[in-house]
Amino acid sequence: MLPLYRNSDIPYVIIHPVIPSHIHIIELLLSLPGIAEKEEYGYEFRIRDILCRLWILLIGEAEQMSGKGMPGRSIEEIERLKKMIQFIHEQYMNKITLKDISFSASLSERECNRCFKRNIQTTPIEYLNGFRVRMAAQMLSHTDNSINYISDSCGFQSASYFGRVFKKKTGKTKAGQEGGFLC
């Protein structure tokens, strides 16, 4: 863990489901709850094995990132980005504007956009919508709540807007059985 933990050039690793090497990381992460819930003989060792493989993959990603160099990243900028992301994670269920996000880190809206683009290659609103979709997908997979309730709980203006954003982000239209999604 130390190569990743001690590398100050890489304050975080972003895992994108469209990058082939990242898909394996996501699959490993998603397998953990099922193994833990079943509690089959030796499950603790299976979890430990998966966590070790995850660390190896994450350290590999970090080495690739540090080799590329990350221009424009200062400690101050990373701290501002963390504040904005934390704000989004805490407030996603409410109406949030770009102004609200930028205000959370004492930035202008333009600088907020630049900070997100420079560091995580997306806009604050795209990140917000992606996070909302992830939260909604969890609710769709693990509850019997209505689409209206879920879209409202995740901060979407309406169920139809939620459906459009969900399809754009996932390529899917609704949750299927066992947390999967149907086209």
Side-chain angles (χ1 to χ4, degrees):
M1 292 172 27
L2 289 178
L4 188 59
Y5 179 74
R6 288 186 178 160
N7 191 338
S8 61
D9 292 335
I10 304 170
Y12 49 84
V13 176
I14 298 171
I15 306 300
H16 290 285
V18 295
I19 299 173
S21 63
H22 293 188
I23 292 171
H24 186 58
I25 293 171
I26 293 168
E27 288 170 345
L28 288 172
L29 285 169
L30 293 174
S31 71
L32 290 170
I35 295 168
E37 286 174 9
K38 290 180 184 175
E39 292 188 9
E40 293 175 345
Y41 181 77
Y43 77 98
E44 299 97 336
F45 292 107
R46 290 185 62 210
I47 290 173
R48 181 179 289 175
D49 174 57
I50 290 171
L51 291 174
C52 288
R53 286 190 279 156
L54 279 168
W55 274 111
I56 290 168
L57 293 170
L58 289 172
I59 289 168
E61 289 295 317
E63 286 178 1
Q64 285 181 346
M65 289 172 67
S66 64
K68 293 177 185 174
M70 302 276 176
R73 290 188 180 191
S74 67
I75 299 294
E76 183 180 15
E77 182 170 84
I78 297 304
E79 289 305 313
R80 287 178 173 165
L81 183 64
K82 285 180 184 178
K83 284 180 185 178
M84 291 183 287
I85 289 173
Q86 181 178 355
F87 174 80
I88 289 170
H89 288 195
E90 291 172 355
Q91 299 296 322
Y92 74 93
M93 70 291 297
N94 300 315
K95 182 181 179 195
I96 299 176
T97 65
L98 177 59
K99 185 176 183 176
D100 298 326
I101 297 168
S102 61
F103 185 78
S104 72
S106 303
L107 294 174
S108 70
E109 292 176 34
R110 290 186 70 189
E111 186 55 32
C112 173
N113 268 322
R114 282 193 290 264
C115 182
F116 267 79
K117 279 289 197 184
R118 242 187 329 263
N119 291 285
I120 57 176
Q121 294 76 48
T122 191
T123 68
I125 299 302
E126 288 169 345
Y127 181 86
L128 169 63
N129 282 334
F131 186 75
R132 284 175 168 167
V133 165
R134 286 192 303 275
M135 296 298 101
Q138 286 180 3
M139 290 179 76
L140 286 166
S141 297
H142 301 295
T143 70
D144 292 330
N145 294 329
S146 71
I147 297 292
N148 287 334
Y149 177 83
I150 291 172
S151 67
D152 188 52
S153 296
C154 292
F156 288 99
Q157 300 165 1
S158 66
S160 62
Y161 178 65
F162 163 64
R164 287 192 304 274
V165 173
F166 190 90
K167 181 161 176 55
K168 180 182 175 188
K169 295 284 184 189
T170 66
K172 317 282 181 185
T173 56
K174 64 179 180 174
Q177 293 180 345
E178 299 178 18
F181 291 88
L182 307 173
C183 289

